[in-house]
PDB file of all heavy atoms in Angstrom:
ATOM      1  N   ILE A   1       9.493  -0.294 -21.182  1.00  0.00           N
ATOM      2  CA  ILE A   1      10.389  -1.282 -21.752  1.00  0.00           C
ATOM      3  C   ILE A   1      10.782  -2.344 -20.894  1.00  0.00           C
ATOM      4  O   ILE A   1      11.120  -2.144 -19.672  1.00  0.00           O
ATOM      5  CB  ILE A   1      11.789  -0.473 -22.099  1.00  0.00           C
ATOM      6  CG1 ILE A   1      11.543   0.640 -23.191  1.00  0.00           C
ATOM      7  CG2 ILE A   1      12.818  -1.414 -22.638  1.00  0.00           C
ATOM      8  CD1 ILE A   1      12.751   1.403 -23.563  1.00  0.00           C
ATOM      9  N   LEU A   2      10.728  -3.591 -21.342  1.00  0.00           N
ATOM     10  CA  LEU A   2      11.036  -4.762 -20.535  1.00  0.00           C
ATOM     11  C   LEU A   2      12.373  -5.285 -20.871  1.00  0.00           C
ATOM     12  O   LEU A   2      12.611  -5.470 -22.081  1.00  0.00           O
ATOM     13  CB  LEU A   2       9.976  -5.773 -20.653  1.00  0.00           C
ATOM     14  CG  LEU A   2       8.498  -5.494 -20.425  1.00  0.00           C
ATOM     15  CD1 LEU A   2       7.719  -6.788 -20.468  1.00  0.00           C
ATOM     16  CD2 LEU A   2       8.369  -4.852 -19.040  1.00  0.00           C
ATOM     17  N   LYS A   3      13.282  -5.422 -19.919  1.00  0.00           N
ATOM     18  CA  LYS A   3      14.608  -6.017 -20.057  1.00  0.00           C
ATOM     19  C   LYS A   3      15.630  -5.196 -20.808  1.00  0.00           C
ATOM     20  O   LYS A   3      16.818  -5.290 -20.529  1.00  0.00           O
ATOM     21  CB  LYS A   3      14.464  -7.388 -20.823  1.00  0.00           C
ATOM     22  CG  LYS A   3      15.683  -8.196 -20.825  1.00  0.00           C
ATOM     23  CD  LYS A   3      16.445  -8.207 -22.082  1.00  0.00           C
ATOM     24  CE  LYS A   3      17.668  -9.068 -22.087  1.00  0.00           C
ATOM     25  NZ  LYS A   3      18.461  -9.053 -23.271  1.00  0.00           N
ATOM     26  N   GLY A   4      15.239  -4.216 -21.710  1.00  0.00           N
ATOM     27  CA  GLY A   4      16.151  -3.696 -22.747  1.00  0.00           C
ATOM     28  C   GLY A   4      17.044  -2.581 -22.239  1.00  0.00           C
ATOM     29  O   GLY A   4      17.862  -2.138 -23.013  1.00  0.00           O
ATOM     30  N   VAL A   5      16.783  -1.937 -21.055  1.00  0.00           N
ATOM     31  CA  VAL A   5      17.609  -0.882 -20.696  1.00  0.00           C
ATOM     32  C   VAL A   5      18.337  -1.200 -19.383  1.00  0.00           C
ATOM     33  O   VAL A   5      17.834  -1.905 -18.516  1.00  0.00           O
ATOM     34  CB  VAL A   5      16.841   0.396 -20.412  1.00  0.00           C
ATOM     35  CG1 VAL A   5      16.301   0.945 -21.782  1.00  0.00           C
ATOM     36  CG2 VAL A   5      15.663   0.317 -19.480  1.00  0.00           C
ATOM     37  N   ASN A   6      19.561  -0.596 -19.107  1.00  0.00           N
ATOM     38  CA  ASN A   6      20.342  -1.015 -18.014  1.00  0.00           C
ATOM     39  C   ASN A   6      20.814   0.278 -17.257  1.00  0.00           C
ATOM     40  O   ASN A   6      20.494   1.429 -17.613  1.00  0.00           O
ATOM     41  CB  ASN A   6      21.491  -1.807 -18.447  1.00  0.00           C
ATOM     42  CG  ASN A   6      22.354  -1.237 -19.487  1.00  0.00           C
ATOM     43  OD1 ASN A   6      22.694  -0.059 -19.387  1.00  0.00           O
ATOM     44  ND2 ASN A   6      22.611  -2.080 -20.502  1.00  0.00           N
ATOM     45  N   MET A   7      21.515   0.026 -16.144  1.00  0.00           N
ATOM     46  CA  MET A   7      21.996   1.169 -15.309  1.00  0.00           C
ATOM     47  C   MET A   7      23.017   2.135 -16.065  1.00  0.00           C
ATOM     48  O   MET A   7      23.050   3.235 -15.884  1.00  0.00           O
ATOM     49  CB  MET A   7      22.573   0.680 -14.045  1.00  0.00           C
ATOM     50  CG  MET A   7      21.722  -0.219 -13.205  1.00  0.00           C
ATOM     51  SD  MET A   7      20.201   0.738 -12.613  1.00  0.00           S
ATOM     52  CE  MET A   7      20.967   1.805 -11.369  1.00  0.00           C
ATOM     53  N   THR A   8      23.691   1.504 -17.030  1.00  0.00           N
ATOM     54  CA  THR A   8      24.551   2.354 -17.926  1.00  0.00           C
ATOM     55  C   THR A   8      23.702   3.300 -18.727  1.00  0.00           C
ATOM     56  O   THR A   8      24.128   4.476 -18.823  1.00  0.00           O
ATOM     57  CB  THR A   8      25.395   1.374 -18.813  1.00  0.00           C
ATOM     58  OG1 THR A   8      26.133   0.455 -18.011  1.00  0.00           O
ATOM     59  CG2 THR A   8      26.297   2.171 -19.607  1.00  0.00           C
ATOM     60  N   ASP A   9      22.603   2.785 -19.240  1.00  0.00           N
ATOM     61  CA  ASP A   9      21.720   3.745 -19.995  1.00  0.00           C
ATOM     62  C   ASP A   9      21.276   4.880 -19.076  1.00  0.00           C
ATOM     63  O   ASP A   9      21.243   6.031 -19.658  1.00  0.00           O
ATOM     64  CB  ASP A   9      20.557   3.083 -20.564  1.00  0.00           C
ATOM     65  CG  ASP A   9      20.876   1.980 -21.613  1.00  0.00           C
ATOM     66  OD1 ASP A   9      21.924   2.185 -22.341  1.00  0.00           O
ATOM     67  OD2 ASP A   9      20.206   0.947 -21.662  1.00  0.00           O
ATOM     68  N   MET A  10      20.906   4.558 -17.864  1.00  0.00           N
ATOM     69  CA  MET A  10      20.302   5.554 -17.023  1.00  0.00           C
ATOM     70  C   MET A  10      21.281   6.665 -16.592  1.00  0.00           C
ATOM     71  O   MET A  10      20.891   7.731 -16.339  1.00  0.00           O
ATOM     72  CB  MET A  10      19.766   4.887 -15.760  1.00  0.00           C
ATOM     73  CG  MET A  10      18.572   4.005 -16.092  1.00  0.00           C
ATOM     74  SD  MET A  10      17.238   4.867 -16.876  1.00  0.00           S
ATOM     75  CE  MET A  10      16.225   3.435 -17.520  1.00  0.00           C
ATOM     76  N   ALA A  11      22.586   6.233 -16.635  1.00  0.00           N
ATOM     77  CA  ALA A  11      23.554   7.298 -16.259  1.00  0.00           C
ATOM     78  C   ALA A  11      23.534   8.405 -17.309  1.00  0.00           C
ATOM     79  O   ALA A  11      23.869   9.568 -16.945  1.00  0.00           O
ATOM     80  CB  ALA A  11      24.954   6.568 -16.282  1.00  0.00           C
ATOM     81  N   THR A  12      23.151   8.161 -18.473  1.00  0.00           N
ATOM     82  CA  THR A  12      23.148   9.231 -19.571  1.00  0.00           C
ATOM     83  C   THR A  12      21.659   9.599 -19.935  1.00  0.00           C
ATOM     84  O   THR A  12      21.463  10.815 -20.123  1.00  0.00           O
ATOM     85  CB  THR A  12      23.858   8.670 -20.815  1.00  0.00           C
ATOM     86  OG1 THR A  12      25.111   8.255 -20.539  1.00  0.00           O
ATOM     87  CG2 THR A  12      23.870   9.738 -21.881  1.00  0.00           C
ATOM     88  N   TYR A  13      20.787   8.708 -19.899  1.00  0.00           N
ATOM     89  CA  TYR A  13      19.355   8.934 -20.369  1.00  0.00           C
ATOM     90  C   TYR A  13      18.328   8.809 -19.387  1.00  0.00           C
ATOM     91  O   TYR A  13      17.202   8.578 -19.666  1.00  0.00           O
ATOM     92  CB  TYR A  13      19.075   8.009 -21.643  1.00  0.00           C
ATOM     93  CG  TYR A  13      20.078   8.083 -22.739  1.00  0.00           C
ATOM     94  CD1 TYR A  13      20.982   7.135 -22.989  1.00  0.00           C
ATOM     95  CD2 TYR A  13      19.977   9.243 -23.576  1.00  0.00           C
ATOM     96  CE1 TYR A  13      21.933   7.151 -24.061  1.00  0.00           C
ATOM     97  CE2 TYR A  13      20.880   9.324 -24.655  1.00  0.00           C
ATOM     98  CZ  TYR A  13      21.875   8.378 -24.925  1.00  0.00           C
ATOM     99  OH  TYR A  13      22.684   8.548 -25.942  1.00  0.00           O
ATOM    100  N   GLY A  14      18.631   8.947 -18.119  1.00  0.00           N
ATOM    101  CA  GLY A  14      17.784   8.765 -16.978  1.00  0.00           C
ATOM    102  C   GLY A  14      16.580   9.777 -17.088  1.00  0.00           C
ATOM    103  O   GLY A  14      15.493   9.328 -16.710  1.00  0.00           O
ATOM    104  N   SER A  15      16.754  10.863 -17.702  1.00  0.00           N
ATOM    105  CA  SER A  15      15.655  11.933 -17.761  1.00  0.00           C
ATOM    106  C   SER A  15      14.569  11.379 -18.667  1.00  0.00           C
ATOM    107  O   SER A  15      13.460  11.946 -18.526  1.00  0.00           O
ATOM    108  CB  SER A  15      16.228  13.227 -18.251  1.00  0.00           C
ATOM    109  OG  SER A  15      16.736  13.118 -19.590  1.00  0.00           O
ATOM    110  N   LEU A  16      14.759  10.457 -19.507  1.00  0.00           N
ATOM    111  CA  LEU A  16      13.688   9.933 -20.399  1.00  0.00           C
ATOM    112  C   LEU A  16      12.759   8.984 -19.592  1.00  0.00           C
ATOM    113  O   LEU A  16      11.734   8.557 -20.229  1.00  0.00           O
ATOM    114  CB  LEU A  16      14.284   9.160 -21.583  1.00  0.00           C
ATOM    115  CG  LEU A  16      15.154  10.037 -22.507  1.00  0.00           C
ATOM    116  CD1 LEU A  16      15.761   9.071 -23.596  1.00  0.00           C
ATOM    117  CD2 LEU A  16      14.364  11.159 -23.190  1.00  0.00           C
ATOM    118  N   PHE A  17      13.186   8.584 -18.379  1.00  0.00           N
ATOM    119  CA  PHE A  17      12.363   7.571 -17.744  1.00  0.00           C
ATOM    120  C   PHE A  17      11.841   8.073 -16.393  1.00  0.00           C
ATOM    121  O   PHE A  17      12.452   8.972 -15.763  1.00  0.00           O
ATOM    122  CB  PHE A  17      13.314   6.333 -17.454  1.00  0.00           C
ATOM    123  CG  PHE A  17      13.622   5.650 -18.794  1.00  0.00           C
ATOM    124  CD1 PHE A  17      14.857   6.000 -19.388  1.00  0.00           C
ATOM    125  CD2 PHE A  17      12.833   4.681 -19.335  1.00  0.00           C
ATOM    126  CE1 PHE A  17      15.194   5.403 -20.589  1.00  0.00           C
ATOM    127  CE2 PHE A  17      13.230   4.085 -20.526  1.00  0.00           C
ATOM    128  CZ  PHE A  17      14.368   4.455 -21.161  1.00  0.00           C
ATOM    129  N   GLU A  18      10.780   7.529 -15.923  1.00  0.00           N
ATOM    130  CA  GLU A  18      10.061   7.908 -14.744  1.00  0.00           C
ATOM    131  C   GLU A  18      10.911   7.522 -13.517  1.00  0.00           C
ATOM    132  O   GLU A  18      11.392   6.270 -13.448  1.00  0.00           O
ATOM    133  CB  GLU A  18       8.748   7.229 -14.654  1.00  0.00           C
ATOM    134  CG  GLU A  18       7.827   7.663 -13.533  1.00  0.00           C
ATOM    135  CD  GLU A  18       7.348   9.096 -13.685  1.00  0.00           C
ATOM    136  OE1 GLU A  18       7.218   9.573 -14.787  1.00  0.00           O
ATOM    137  OE2 GLU A  18       6.997   9.692 -12.688  1.00  0.00           O
ATOM    138  N   ASP A  19      11.060   8.390 -12.568  1.00  0.00           N
ATOM    139  CA  ASP A  19      11.656   7.976 -11.346  1.00  0.00           C
ATOM    140  C   ASP A  19      10.491   7.333 -10.396  1.00  0.00           C
ATOM    141  O   ASP A  19       9.565   8.005 -10.089  1.00  0.00           O
ATOM    142  CB  ASP A  19      12.140   9.294 -10.605  1.00  0.00           C
ATOM    143  CG  ASP A  19      12.645   8.967  -9.142  1.00  0.00           C
ATOM    144  OD1 ASP A  19      12.886   7.808  -8.797  1.00  0.00           O
ATOM    145  OD2 ASP A  19      12.789   9.999  -8.420  1.00  0.00           O
ATOM    146  N   LEU A  20      10.773   6.049 -10.170  1.00  0.00           N
ATOM    147  CA  LEU A  20       9.708   5.289  -9.504  1.00  0.00           C
ATOM    148  C   LEU A  20       9.849   5.238  -7.941  1.00  0.00           C
ATOM    149  O   LEU A  20       9.034   4.588  -7.300  1.00  0.00           O
ATOM    150  CB  LEU A  20       9.745   3.809 -10.060  1.00  0.00           C
ATOM    151  CG  LEU A  20       9.478   3.746 -11.529  1.00  0.00           C
ATOM    152  CD1 LEU A  20       9.631   2.258 -12.054  1.00  0.00           C
ATOM    153  CD2 LEU A  20       8.143   4.200 -11.985  1.00  0.00           C
ATOM    154  N   SER A  21      10.814   5.924  -7.471  1.00  0.00           N
ATOM    155  CA  SER A  21      11.043   5.922  -5.998  1.00  0.00           C
ATOM    156  C   SER A  21       9.899   6.462  -5.276  1.00  0.00           C
ATOM    157  O   SER A  21       9.727   6.042  -4.082  1.00  0.00           O
ATOM    158  CB  SER A  21      12.361   6.609  -5.672  1.00  0.00           C
ATOM    159  OG  SER A  21      12.224   8.016  -5.966  1.00  0.00           O
ATOM    160  N   ASP A  22       9.142   7.423  -5.829  1.00  0.00           N
ATOM    161  CA  ASP A  22       8.043   8.032  -5.040  1.00  0.00           C
ATOM    162  C   ASP A  22       6.638   7.422  -5.551  1.00  0.00           C
ATOM    163  O   ASP A  22       5.643   8.003  -5.335  1.00  0.00           O
ATOM    164  CB  ASP A  22       8.084   9.487  -5.187  1.00  0.00           C
ATOM    165  CG  ASP A  22       8.007  10.006  -6.713  1.00  0.00           C
ATOM    166  OD1 ASP A  22       8.015   9.162  -7.573  1.00  0.00           O
ATOM    167  OD2 ASP A  22       7.963  11.196  -6.902  1.00  0.00           O
ATOM    168  N   ASP A  23       6.679   6.355  -6.304  1.00  0.00           N
ATOM    169  CA  ASP A  23       5.470   5.668  -6.722  1.00  0.00           C
ATOM    170  C   ASP A  23       5.273   4.287  -6.145  1.00  0.00           C
ATOM    171  O   ASP A  23       4.381   3.494  -6.688  1.00  0.00           O
ATOM    172  CB  ASP A  23       5.587   5.538  -8.255  1.00  0.00           C
ATOM    173  CG  ASP A  23       5.555   6.865  -9.063  1.00  0.00           C
ATOM    174  OD1 ASP A  23       4.670   7.676  -8.638  1.00  0.00           O
ATOM    175  OD2 ASP A  23       6.341   6.978  -9.921  1.00  0.00           O
ATOM    176  N   LEU A  24       6.044   3.919  -5.155  1.00  0.00           N
ATOM    177  CA  LEU A  24       5.945   2.629  -4.590  1.00  0.00           C
ATOM    178  C   LEU A  24       4.628   2.250  -3.967  1.00  0.00           C
ATOM    179  O   LEU A  24       4.126   1.113  -3.974  1.00  0.00           O
ATOM    180  CB  LEU A  24       7.028   2.381  -3.562  1.00  0.00           C
ATOM    181  CG  LEU A  24       8.485   2.412  -4.182  1.00  0.00           C
ATOM    182  CD1 LEU A  24       9.503   2.177  -3.021  1.00  0.00           C
ATOM    183  CD2 LEU A  24       8.625   1.463  -5.279  1.00  0.00           C
ATOM    184  N   ASP A  25       3.938   3.308  -3.369  1.00  0.00           N
ATOM    185  CA  ASP A  25       2.567   2.999  -2.822  1.00  0.00           C
ATOM    186  C   ASP A  25       1.586   2.623  -3.850  1.00  0.00           C
ATOM    187  O   ASP A  25       0.523   1.951  -3.504  1.00  0.00           O
ATOM    188  CB  ASP A  25       2.070   4.275  -2.113  1.00  0.00           C
ATOM    189  CG  ASP A  25       2.895   4.560  -0.766  1.00  0.00           C
ATOM    190  OD1 ASP A  25       3.417   3.635  -0.216  1.00  0.00           O
ATOM    191  OD2 ASP A  25       2.931   5.714  -0.347  1.00  0.00           O
ATOM    192  N   LYS A  26       1.831   2.957  -5.105  1.00  0.00           N
ATOM    193  CA  LYS A  26       0.890   2.607  -6.170  1.00  0.00           C
ATOM    194  C   LYS A  26       1.328   1.230  -6.766  1.00  0.00           C
ATOM    195  O   LYS A  26       0.676   0.734  -7.655  1.00  0.00           O
ATOM    196  CB  LYS A  26       0.825   3.611  -7.252  1.00  0.00           C
ATOM    197  CG  LYS A  26       0.295   4.974  -6.765  1.00  0.00           C
ATOM    198  CD  LYS A  26       0.280   6.081  -7.848  1.00  0.00           C
ATOM    199  CE  LYS A  26      -0.236   7.316  -7.366  1.00  0.00           C
ATOM    200  NZ  LYS A  26      -0.296   8.473  -8.356  1.00  0.00           N
ATOM    201  N   MET A  27       2.445   0.754  -6.358  1.00  0.00           N
ATOM    202  CA  MET A  27       2.908  -0.674  -6.715  1.00  0.00           C
ATOM    203  C   MET A  27       3.103  -1.417  -5.430  1.00  0.00           C
ATOM    204  O   MET A  27       4.262  -1.696  -5.115  1.00  0.00           O
ATOM    205  CB  MET A  27       4.175  -0.476  -7.557  1.00  0.00           C
ATOM    206  CG  MET A  27       4.017   0.269  -8.862  1.00  0.00           C
ATOM    207  SD  MET A  27       5.551   0.298  -9.824  1.00  0.00           S
ATOM    208  CE  MET A  27       6.559   1.334  -8.790  1.00  0.00           C
ATOM    209  N   PRO A  28       2.076  -1.967  -4.744  1.00  0.00           N
ATOM    210  CA  PRO A  28       2.248  -2.573  -3.514  1.00  0.00           C
ATOM    211  C   PRO A  28       3.046  -3.909  -3.565  1.00  0.00           C
ATOM    212  O   PRO A  28       3.841  -4.187  -2.651  1.00  0.00           O
ATOM    213  CB  PRO A  28       0.752  -2.844  -3.082  1.00  0.00           C
ATOM    214  CG  PRO A  28       0.013  -2.763  -4.297  1.00  0.00           C
ATOM    215  CD  PRO A  28       0.667  -1.726  -5.157  1.00  0.00           C
ATOM    216  N   ASN A  29       2.998  -4.616  -4.764  1.00  0.00           N
ATOM    217  CA  ASN A  29       3.855  -5.768  -4.899  1.00  0.00           C
ATOM    218  C   ASN A  29       5.321  -5.346  -4.864  1.00  0.00           C
ATOM    219  O   ASN A  29       6.188  -6.113  -4.319  1.00  0.00           O
ATOM    220  CB  ASN A  29       3.508  -6.612  -6.174  1.00  0.00           C
ATOM    221  CG  ASN A  29       2.154  -7.205  -6.058  1.00  0.00           C
ATOM    222  OD1 ASN A  29       1.703  -7.671  -4.975  1.00  0.00           O
ATOM    223  ND2 ASN A  29       1.458  -7.381  -7.243  1.00  0.00           N
ATOM    224  N   VAL A  30       5.658  -4.322  -5.567  1.00  0.00           N
ATOM    225  CA  VAL A  30       7.034  -3.929  -5.714  1.00  0.00           C
ATOM    226  C   VAL A  30       7.479  -3.378  -4.359  1.00  0.00           C
ATOM    227  O   VAL A  30       8.630  -3.622  -3.927  1.00  0.00           O
ATOM    228  CB  VAL A  30       7.178  -2.795  -6.733  1.00  0.00           C
ATOM    229  CG1 VAL A  30       8.642  -2.225  -6.765  1.00  0.00           C
ATOM    230  CG2 VAL A  30       6.804  -3.328  -8.130  1.00  0.00           C
ATOM    231  N   LYS A  31       6.626  -2.589  -3.658  1.00  0.00           N
ATOM    232  CA  LYS A  31       6.998  -2.132  -2.383  1.00  0.00           C
ATOM    233  C   LYS A  31       7.270  -3.230  -1.351  1.00  0.00           C
ATOM    234  O   LYS A  31       8.200  -3.156  -0.561  1.00  0.00           O
ATOM    235  CB  LYS A  31       5.923  -1.239  -1.817  1.00  0.00           C
ATOM    236  CG  LYS A  31       6.160  -0.576  -0.511  1.00  0.00           C
ATOM    237  CD  LYS A  31       4.993   0.320  -0.037  1.00  0.00           C
ATOM    238  CE  LYS A  31       5.300   1.054   1.268  1.00  0.00           C
ATOM    239  NZ  LYS A  31       4.188   1.898   1.689  1.00  0.00           N
ATOM    240  N   GLU A  32       6.419  -4.299  -1.456  1.00  0.00           N
ATOM    241  CA  GLU A  32       6.609  -5.434  -0.512  1.00  0.00           C
ATOM    242  C   GLU A  32       7.899  -6.174  -0.807  1.00  0.00           C
ATOM    243  O   GLU A  32       8.605  -6.582   0.037  1.00  0.00           O
ATOM    244  CB  GLU A  32       5.335  -6.430  -0.653  1.00  0.00           C
ATOM    245  CG  GLU A  32       5.549  -7.575   0.326  1.00  0.00           C
ATOM    246  CD  GLU A  32       4.379  -8.487   0.099  1.00  0.00           C
ATOM    247  OE1 GLU A  32       3.525  -8.317  -0.813  1.00  0.00           O
ATOM    248  OE2 GLU A  32       4.302  -9.594   0.822  1.00  0.00           O
ATOM    249  N   MET A  33       8.145  -6.319  -2.142  1.00  0.00           N
ATOM    250  CA  MET A  33       9.474  -6.955  -2.535  1.00  0.00           C
ATOM    251  C   MET A  33      10.613  -6.205  -2.006  1.00  0.00           C
ATOM    252  O   MET A  33      11.547  -6.848  -1.456  1.00  0.00           O
ATOM    253  CB  MET A  33       9.474  -6.986  -4.098  1.00  0.00           C
ATOM    254  CG  MET A  33      10.831  -7.580  -4.614  1.00  0.00           C
ATOM    255  SD  MET A  33      10.860  -7.628  -6.488  1.00  0.00           S
ATOM    256  CE  MET A  33      10.830  -5.934  -6.884  1.00  0.00           C
ATOM    257  N   PHE A  34      10.617  -4.884  -2.074  1.00  0.00           N
ATOM    258  CA  PHE A  34      11.771  -4.091  -1.558  1.00  0.00           C
ATOM    259  C   PHE A  34      11.887  -4.202  -0.065  1.00  0.00           C
ATOM    260  O   PHE A  34      12.958  -4.198   0.476  1.00  0.00           O
ATOM    261  CB  PHE A  34      11.577  -2.681  -1.957  1.00  0.00           C
ATOM    262  CG  PHE A  34      11.948  -2.343  -3.437  1.00  0.00           C
ATOM    263  CD1 PHE A  34      11.459  -1.099  -3.932  1.00  0.00           C
ATOM    264  CD2 PHE A  34      12.568  -3.198  -4.170  1.00  0.00           C
ATOM    265  CE1 PHE A  34      11.850  -0.786  -5.278  1.00  0.00           C
ATOM    266  CE2 PHE A  34      12.901  -2.902  -5.515  1.00  0.00           C
ATOM    267  CZ  PHE A  34      12.509  -1.726  -6.091  1.00  0.00           C
ATOM    268  N   GLU A  35      10.700  -4.404   0.616  1.00  0.00           N
ATOM    269  CA  GLU A  35      10.825  -4.486   2.122  1.00  0.00           C
ATOM    270  C   GLU A  35      11.311  -5.876   2.481  1.00  0.00           C
ATOM    271  O   GLU A  35      12.096  -6.030   3.448  1.00  0.00           O
ATOM    272  CB  GLU A  35       9.400  -4.230   2.732  1.00  0.00           C
ATOM    273  CG  GLU A  35       8.935  -2.850   2.585  1.00  0.00           C
ATOM    274  CD  GLU A  35       7.446  -2.633   2.970  1.00  0.00           C
ATOM    275  OE1 GLU A  35       6.777  -3.688   3.140  1.00  0.00           O
ATOM    276  OE2 GLU A  35       7.002  -1.428   3.179  1.00  0.00           O
ATOM    277  N   GLN A  36      10.889  -6.903   1.739  1.00  0.00           N
ATOM    278  CA  GLN A  36      11.289  -8.230   2.117  1.00  0.00           C
ATOM    279  C   GLN A  36      12.676  -8.655   1.553  1.00  0.00           C
ATOM    280  O   GLN A  36      13.371  -9.556   2.121  1.00  0.00           O
ATOM    281  CB  GLN A  36      10.279  -9.313   1.578  1.00  0.00           C
ATOM    282  CG  GLN A  36       8.980  -9.151   2.331  1.00  0.00           C
ATOM    283  CD  GLN A  36       8.083 -10.399   2.007  1.00  0.00           C
ATOM    284  OE1 GLN A  36       8.521 -11.489   1.643  1.00  0.00           O
ATOM    285  NE2 GLN A  36       6.797 -10.235   2.275  1.00  0.00           N
ATOM    286  N   VAL A  37      13.005  -7.969   0.508  1.00  0.00           N
ATOM    287  CA  VAL A  37      14.396  -8.302  -0.149  1.00  0.00           C
ATOM    288  C   VAL A  37      15.058  -7.002  -0.368  1.00  0.00           C
ATOM    289  O   VAL A  37      15.086  -6.444  -1.448  1.00  0.00           O
ATOM    290  CB  VAL A  37      14.153  -9.069  -1.494  1.00  0.00           C
ATOM    291  CG1 VAL A  37      15.464  -9.604  -1.989  1.00  0.00           C
ATOM    292  CG2 VAL A  37      13.101 -10.163  -1.392  1.00  0.00           C
ATOM    293  N   PRO A  38      15.774  -6.473   0.719  1.00  0.00           N
ATOM    294  CA  PRO A  38      16.389  -5.178   0.591  1.00  0.00           C
ATOM    295  C   PRO A  38      17.432  -5.071  -0.506  1.00  0.00           C
ATOM    296  O   PRO A  38      17.660  -4.032  -1.158  1.00  0.00           O
ATOM    297  CB  PRO A  38      17.132  -5.043   1.944  1.00  0.00           C
ATOM    298  CG  PRO A  38      16.289  -5.900   2.860  1.00  0.00           C
ATOM    299  CD  PRO A  38      15.826  -7.052   2.009  1.00  0.00           C
ATOM    300  N   THR A  39      18.165  -6.201  -0.869  1.00  0.00           N
ATOM    301  CA  THR A  39      19.047  -6.192  -1.939  1.00  0.00           C
ATOM    302  C   THR A  39      18.432  -5.811  -3.247  1.00  0.00           C
ATOM    303  O   THR A  39      19.089  -5.195  -4.158  1.00  0.00           O
ATOM    304  CB  THR A  39      19.723  -7.619  -2.148  1.00  0.00           C
ATOM    305  OG1 THR A  39      20.440  -7.924  -0.907  1.00  0.00           O
ATOM    306  CG2 THR A  39      20.708  -7.583  -3.205  1.00  0.00           C
ATOM    307  N   ALA A  40      17.174  -6.242  -3.438  1.00  0.00           N
ATOM    308  CA  ALA A  40      16.476  -5.890  -4.742  1.00  0.00           C
ATOM    309  C   ALA A  40      16.359  -4.404  -4.954  1.00  0.00           C
ATOM    310  O   ALA A  40      16.453  -3.832  -6.020  1.00  0.00           O
ATOM    311  CB  ALA A  40      15.037  -6.434  -4.750  1.00  0.00           C
ATOM    312  N   LYS A  41      16.100  -3.685  -3.810  1.00  0.00           N
ATOM    313  CA  LYS A  41      16.079  -2.209  -3.918  1.00  0.00           C
ATOM    314  C   LYS A  41      17.441  -1.669  -4.065  1.00  0.00           C
ATOM    315  O   LYS A  41      17.669  -0.659  -4.760  1.00  0.00           O
ATOM    316  CB  LYS A  41      15.354  -1.671  -2.662  1.00  0.00           C
ATOM    317  CG  LYS A  41      15.081  -0.179  -2.751  1.00  0.00           C
ATOM    318  CD  LYS A  41      14.302   0.312  -1.502  1.00  0.00           C
ATOM    319  CE  LYS A  41      14.030   1.808  -1.592  1.00  0.00           C
ATOM    320  NZ  LYS A  41      13.267   2.303  -0.464  1.00  0.00           N
ATOM    321  N   LYS A  42      18.373  -2.153  -3.291  1.00  0.00           N
ATOM    322  CA  LYS A  42      19.727  -1.674  -3.306  1.00  0.00           C
ATOM    323  C   LYS A  42      20.305  -1.613  -4.806  1.00  0.00           C
ATOM    324  O   LYS A  42      21.061  -0.614  -5.145  1.00  0.00           O
ATOM    325  CB  LYS A  42      20.659  -2.466  -2.348  1.00  0.00           C
ATOM    326  CG  LYS A  42      22.052  -2.021  -2.253  1.00  0.00           C
ATOM    327  CD  LYS A  42      22.788  -2.912  -1.305  1.00  0.00           C
ATOM    328  CE  LYS A  42      24.314  -2.581  -1.145  1.00  0.00           C
ATOM    329  NZ  LYS A  42      24.935  -3.409  -0.151  1.00  0.00           N
ATOM    330  N   ILE A  43      20.052  -2.691  -5.533  1.00  0.00           N
ATOM    331  CA  ILE A  43      20.772  -2.825  -6.824  1.00  0.00           C
ATOM    332  C   ILE A  43      20.170  -1.892  -7.818  1.00  0.00           C
ATOM    333  O   ILE A  43      20.792  -1.792  -8.968  1.00  0.00           O
ATOM    334  CB  ILE A  43      20.750  -4.207  -7.301  1.00  0.00           C
ATOM    335  CG1 ILE A  43      19.356  -4.739  -7.569  1.00  0.00           C
ATOM    336  CG2 ILE A  43      21.414  -5.248  -6.265  1.00  0.00           C
ATOM    337  CD1 ILE A  43      19.261  -6.123  -8.151  1.00  0.00           C
TER     338      ILE A  43
END
């Protein structure tokens, strides 16, 4: 889903979605973004 779900949704329906915290090595662009822009990961 692009754009349509938010952190409020995840508080209740998080189990429907993949936890991506352990998939960063398979998303090198995302991993680099989090390293260069820590706020992006924090939010």
